[in-house]
Amino acid sequence: MSLPTMPHPDGRPIGLQLVGLHGCEEQLFALAQQLELISPWASRWPDLALR
């Protein structure tokens, strides 16, 4: 699973890849949810995407 995290100083998102064992997708989704609560990303867009 790939998630955007904090933005780079130039505005591009820095990604985080999570890998789990086969059949452990529920754990990955739970971790992704926790990360989203700590640092919401859904409303952030790099400047390049807004042009």
Side-chain angles (χ1 to χ4, degrees), residues 3-5 9-12 23-28 30 32 36-38 40 44-47:
L3 304 170
T5 58
D10 68 6
R12 293 176 297 150
C24 294
E25 290 82 8
E26 188 174 326
Q27 290 177 326
L28 291 176
E36 167 67 10
L37 292 173
I38 293 169
R44 290 191 312 229
W45 293 87
D47 291 338

Side-chain angles (χ1 to χ4, degrees), residues 27-43:
Q27 290 177 326
L28 291 176
F29 285 119
L31 179 54
Q33 182 182 28
Q34 290 175 10
L35 292 170
E36 167 67 10
L37 292 173
I38 293 169
S39 179
W41 57 266
S43 63

